[in-house]
Every structure is written in C-alpha cells, then in structure tokens.
Amino acid sequence: MNDALEVARSLKLRHGDLELRLADYSMHSFHRVPTYFFRMMNIERAEEIGVINLRIGSTPHIERYAGHIGYGVHQAFRGHHYAARSLVLLVPFARSRGIDPLWITCDPENGASRRSLEIAGAEFFEIVDVPVDCGIRRYGGKMRKCRYRL
C-alpha cells in the first residue's frame, strides 16, 4: 500500500486552475476495494471545489453499479467542467494502475453528471437496474444506473 501512495503523491494532476490532491489511499468503506481519494482544488484560491475517487479493482459490483470513479463538485463551483476535467486527469493514472476500460456510473436523471461524462469522452453504454439487495439501493441509491465506458 505504501508504494501505491508514493506513486499517487508523485503525480502532478493539474489542468489550468484545477489540481487533484491526494487525500487518502485506503479500502473504500462501502465498495470494499482499494481507493485513491482526491480533493479537487482551485490552485489560485487554494480552495477545495469538490472530491473525486478512483476505485482500484474490477469487481462485478464496481463495473456494473458503482463505477471505478466517483465524484462530486461543491454547489458553488458547478458549471465550470471541474468534474469532466478531473476525469480526464485521472485516466492516465487509472490506466497505469491496470484499469482499462474505466466504468463510471450515474443516475439516469442526473443530467449534469451525464454531460460531465460525455465532455470527458466517456461513451454511454447502457442503463441497468440495480438489484434490490445491492448496497447502493439499501442506502438510498436509485433503482437504475447509467453505465459509461471511458
């Protein structure tokens, strides 16, 4: 695990005013796969604008329902393509960790997330029903997920 941390710390994940800063590398408490947790930062203001994580592992649950990447942009910073830009920044790192293709999911009615995925170059694959016994549903998640491949 220390090698994985050193690799992530040595990265310069930047684009314009956006930088992804490693916050943690640990087992994801919900999805149960090793995960890199990053803070989306505005470099100029040294302010957190959101979060993004890269889940390492390709279980059926990750590939079909949770996705390899999860993200959220804080309300005040939405509309600036931070999520799409962060996705693009993470792709080479994900590939270096053996993840290809990247599967990313979102709720069908989340138009902003769908646009972010498409701007980042992700390709819509399908909409799937989330099983009743899936943890995503048990904890208030939606009954369906859009699957995108990047």
mmCIF file of all heavy atoms in Angstrom, residues 39-41 47-51 71-80 82:
data_model
loop_
_atom_site.group_PDB
_atom_site.id
_atom_site.type_symbol
_atom_site.label_atom_id
_atom_site.label_comp_id
_atom_site.label_asym_id
_atom_site.label_seq_id
_atom_site.Cartn_x
_atom_site.Cartn_y
_atom_site.Cartn_z
ATOM 1 N N ARG A 39 -8.869 15.431 -3.499
ATOM 2 C CA ARG A 39 -9.605 16.683 -3.360
ATOM 3 C C ARG A 39 -9.407 17.467 -4.653
ATOM 4 O O ARG A 39 -8.282 17.608 -5.120
ATOM 5 C CB ARG A 39 -9.057 17.494 -2.184
ATOM 6 C CG ARG A 39 -9.230 16.804 -0.843
ATOM 7 C CD ARG A 39 -8.497 17.494 0.273
ATOM 8 N NE ARG A 39 -9.046 18.834 0.480
ATOM 9 C CZ ARG A 39 -8.378 19.831 1.017
ATOM 10 N NH1 ARG A 39 -7.117 19.678 1.387
ATOM 11 N NH2 ARG A 39 -8.951 21.007 1.190
ATOM 12 N N MET A 40 -10.481 17.960 -5.233
ATOM 13 C CA MET A 40 -10.384 18.879 -6.366
ATOM 14 C C MET A 40 -10.102 20.248 -5.770
ATOM 15 O O MET A 40 -10.876 20.732 -4.942
ATOM 16 C CB MET A 40 -11.701 18.956 -7.140
ATOM 17 C CG MET A 40 -12.109 17.738 -7.870
ATOM 18 S SD MET A 40 -13.712 18.075 -8.689
ATOM 19 C CE MET A 40 -14.298 16.416 -8.935
ATOM 20 N N MET A 41 -8.992 20.854 -6.182
ATOM 21 C CA MET A 41 -8.583 22.132 -5.605
ATOM 22 C C MET A 41 -8.478 23.213 -6.675
ATOM 23 O O MET A 41 -7.986 22.952 -7.773
ATOM 24 C CB MET A 41 -7.216 21.994 -4.926
ATOM 25 C CG MET A 41 -7.162 21.005 -3.789
ATOM 26 S SD MET A 41 -8.151 21.471 -2.358
ATOM 27 C CE MET A 41 -7.335 22.972 -1.857
ATOM 28 N N GLU A 47 -8.533 26.536 -2.611
ATOM 29 C CA GLU A 47 -9.860 26.216 -2.085
ATOM 30 C C GLU A 47 -10.347 24.890 -2.665
ATOM 31 O O GLU A 47 -10.202 24.642 -3.864
ATOM 32 C CB GLU A 47 -10.803 27.356 -2.508
ATOM 33 C CG GLU A 47 -12.169 27.319 -1.928
ATOM 34 C CD GLU A 47 -12.924 28.608 -2.265
ATOM 35 O OE1 GLU A 47 -12.644 29.259 -3.274
ATOM 36 O OE2 GLU A 47 -13.825 28.936 -1.492
ATOM 37 N N GLU A 48 -10.922 24.041 -1.802
ATOM 38 C CA GLU A 48 -11.488 22.783 -2.287
ATOM 39 C C GLU A 48 -12.768 23.077 -3.047
ATOM 40 O O GLU A 48 -13.645 23.787 -2.563
ATOM 41 C CB GLU A 48 -11.783 21.837 -1.125
ATOM 42 C CG GLU A 48 -12.310 20.489 -1.617
ATOM 43 C CD GLU A 48 -12.605 19.520 -0.496
ATOM 44 O OE1 GLU A 48 -11.644 19.054 0.143
ATOM 45 O OE2 GLU A 48 -13.793 19.246 -0.262
ATOM 46 N N ILE A 49 -12.868 22.488 -4.249
ATOM 47 C CA ILE A 49 -14.053 22.695 -5.077
ATOM 48 C C ILE A 49 -14.868 21.420 -5.247
ATOM 49 O O ILE A 49 -15.978 21.462 -5.769
ATOM 50 C CB ILE A 49 -13.674 23.287 -6.452
ATOM 51 C CG1 ILE A 49 -12.634 22.424 -7.152
ATOM 52 C CG2 ILE A 49 -13.177 24.704 -6.286
ATOM 53 C CD1 ILE A 49 -12.202 22.939 -8.505
ATOM 54 N N GLY A 50 -14.315 20.295 -4.795
ATOM 55 C CA GLY A 50 -15.023 19.035 -4.897
ATOM 56 C C GLY A 50 -14.127 17.878 -4.516
ATOM 57 O O GLY A 50 -13.006 18.076 -4.033
ATOM 58 N N VAL A 51 -14.621 16.668 -4.749
ATOM 59 C CA VAL A 51 -13.867 15.450 -4.446
ATOM 60 C C VAL A 51 -14.042 14.461 -5.594
ATOM 61 O O VAL A 51 -15.039 14.499 -6.327
ATOM 62 C CB VAL A 51 -14.334 14.802 -3.118
ATOM 63 C CG1 VAL A 51 -14.038 15.702 -1.939
ATOM 64 C CG2 VAL A 51 -15.811 14.450 -3.166
ATOM 65 N N TYR A 71 -17.422 11.011 -8.008
ATOM 66 C CA TYR A 71 -17.035 12.414 -7.879
ATOM 67 C C TYR A 71 -18.210 13.272 -7.452
ATOM 68 O O TYR A 71 -19.374 12.879 -7.576
ATOM 69 C CB TYR A 71 -16.465 12.953 -9.202
ATOM 70 C CG TYR A 71 -17.390 12.764 -10.387
ATOM 71 C CD1 TYR A 71 -18.360 13.716 -10.697
ATOM 72 C CD2 TYR A 71 -17.291 11.640 -11.185
ATOM 73 C CE1 TYR A 71 -19.219 13.532 -11.775
ATOM 74 C CE2 TYR A 71 -18.141 11.454 -12.263
ATOM 75 C CZ TYR A 71 -19.092 12.406 -12.554
ATOM 76 O OH TYR A 71 -19.943 12.221 -13.618
ATOM 77 N N GLY A 72 -17.877 14.441 -6.965
ATOM 78 C CA GLY A 72 -18.876 15.438 -6.603
ATOM 79 C C GLY A 72 -18.229 16.809 -6.568
ATOM 80 O O GLY A 72 -17.142 16.963 -6.022
ATOM 81 N N VAL A 73 -18.878 17.773 -7.187
ATOM 82 C CA VAL A 73 -18.397 19.153 -7.182
ATOM 83 C C VAL A 73 -19.295 19.935 -6.231
ATOM 84 O O VAL A 73 -20.521 19.835 -6.302
ATOM 85 C CB VAL A 73 -18.426 19.755 -8.607
ATOM 86 C CG1 VAL A 73 -18.025 21.223 -8.589
ATOM 87 C CG2 VAL A 73 -17.519 18.957 -9.544
ATOM 88 N N HIS A 74 -18.683 20.709 -5.337
ATOM 89 C CA HIS A 74 -19.454 21.504 -4.393
ATOM 90 C C HIS A 74 -20.348 22.490 -5.151
ATOM 91 O O HIS A 74 -19.958 23.040 -6.189
ATOM 92 C CB HIS A 74 -18.540 22.253 -3.424
ATOM 93 C CG HIS A 74 -17.617 21.364 -2.637
ATOM 94 N ND1 HIS A 74 -17.989 20.118 -2.158
ATOM 95 C CD2 HIS A 74 -16.330 21.530 -2.252
ATOM 96 C CE1 HIS A 74 -16.981 19.579 -1.504
ATOM 97 N NE2 HIS A 74 -15.958 20.411 -1.556
ATOM 98 N N GLN A 75 -21.538 22.697 -4.633
ATOM 99 C CA GLN A 75 -22.576 23.501 -5.282
ATOM 100 C C GLN A 75 -22.060 24.832 -5.846
ATOM 101 O O GLN A 75 -22.357 25.180 -6.977
ATOM 102 C CB GLN A 75 -23.709 23.774 -4.274
ATOM 103 C CG GLN A 75 -24.872 24.562 -4.831
ATOM 104 C CD GLN A 75 -25.751 23.735 -5.749
ATOM 105 O OE1 GLN A 75 -25.931 22.544 -5.546
ATOM 106 N NE2 GLN A 75 -26.296 24.367 -6.770
ATOM 107 N N ALA A 76 -21.279 25.562 -5.093
ATOM 108 C CA ALA A 76 -20.818 26.891 -5.512
ATOM 109 C C ALA A 76 -19.885 26.862 -6.723
ATOM 110 O O ALA A 76 -19.676 27.893 -7.363
ATOM 111 C CB ALA A 76 -20.114 27.587 -4.344
ATOM 112 N N PHE A 77 -19.357 25.676 -7.074
ATOM 113 C CA PHE A 77 -18.366 25.588 -8.150
ATOM 114 C C PHE A 77 -18.865 24.819 -9.366
ATOM 115 O O PHE A 77 -18.086 24.546 -10.284
ATOM 116 C CB PHE A 77 -17.083 24.945 -7.608
ATOM 117 C CG PHE A 77 -16.505 25.706 -6.460
ATOM 118 C CD1 PHE A 77 -16.691 25.264 -5.160
ATOM 119 C CD2 PHE A 77 -15.803 26.883 -6.669
ATOM 120 C CE1 PHE A 77 -16.165 25.967 -4.086
ATOM 121 C CE2 PHE A 77 -15.270 27.592 -5.603
ATOM 122 C CZ PHE A 77 -15.459 27.142 -4.317
ATOM 123 N N ARG A 78 -20.116 24.487 -9.377
ATOM 124 C CA ARG A 78 -20.661 23.733 -10.507
ATOM 125 C C ARG A 78 -20.761 24.625 -11.744
ATOM 126 O O ARG A 78 -20.847 25.840 -11.652
ATOM 127 C CB ARG A 78 -22.023 23.154 -10.132
ATOM 128 C CG ARG A 78 -21.866 22.097 -9.057
ATOM 129 C CD ARG A 78 -23.160 21.468 -8.650
ATOM 130 N NE ARG A 78 -22.890 20.517 -7.565
ATOM 131 C CZ ARG A 78 -23.815 19.987 -6.815
ATOM 132 N NH1 ARG A 78 -25.084 20.276 -7.000
ATOM 133 N NH2 ARG A 78 -23.479 19.151 -5.854
ATOM 134 N N GLY A 79 -20.730 23.991 -12.912
ATOM 135 C CA GLY A 79 -20.864 24.712 -14.168
ATOM 136 C C GLY A 79 -19.549 25.121 -14.809
ATOM 137 O O GLY A 79 -19.537 25.811 -15.821
ATOM 138 N N HIS A 80 -18.421 24.665 -14.231
ATOM 139 C CA HIS A 80 -17.109 25.036 -14.771
ATOM 140 C C HIS A 80 -16.353 23.823 -15.328
ATOM 141 O O HIS A 80 -15.151 23.912 -15.569
ATOM 142 C CB HIS A 80 -16.265 25.715 -13.691
ATOM 143 C CG HIS A 80 -16.877 26.968 -13.171
ATOM 144 N ND1 HIS A 80 -16.809 28.163 -13.846
ATOM 145 C CD2 HIS A 80 -17.614 27.200 -12.061
ATOM 146 C CE1 HIS A 80 -17.454 29.088 -13.154
ATOM 147 N NE2 HIS A 80 -17.961 28.524 -12.071
ATOM 148 N N TYR A 82 -15.413 21.142 -13.866
ATOM 149 C CA TYR A 82 -14.403 20.570 -12.973
ATOM 150 C C TYR A 82 -14.479 19.047 -12.940
ATOM 151 O O TYR A 82 -13.448 18.373 -12.884
ATOM 152 C CB TYR A 82 -14.517 21.141 -11.562
ATOM 153 C CG TYR A 82 -14.079 22.574 -11.445
ATOM 154 C CD1 TYR A 82 -14.933 23.555 -10.951
ATOM 155 C CD2 TYR A 82 -12.789 22.962 -11.816
ATOM 156 C CE1 TYR A 82 -14.519 24.875 -10.842
ATOM 157 C CE2 TYR A 82 -12.379 24.281 -11.707
ATOM 158 C CZ TYR A 82 -13.243 25.234 -11.218
ATOM 159 O OH TYR A 82 -12.837 26.531 -11.116
#
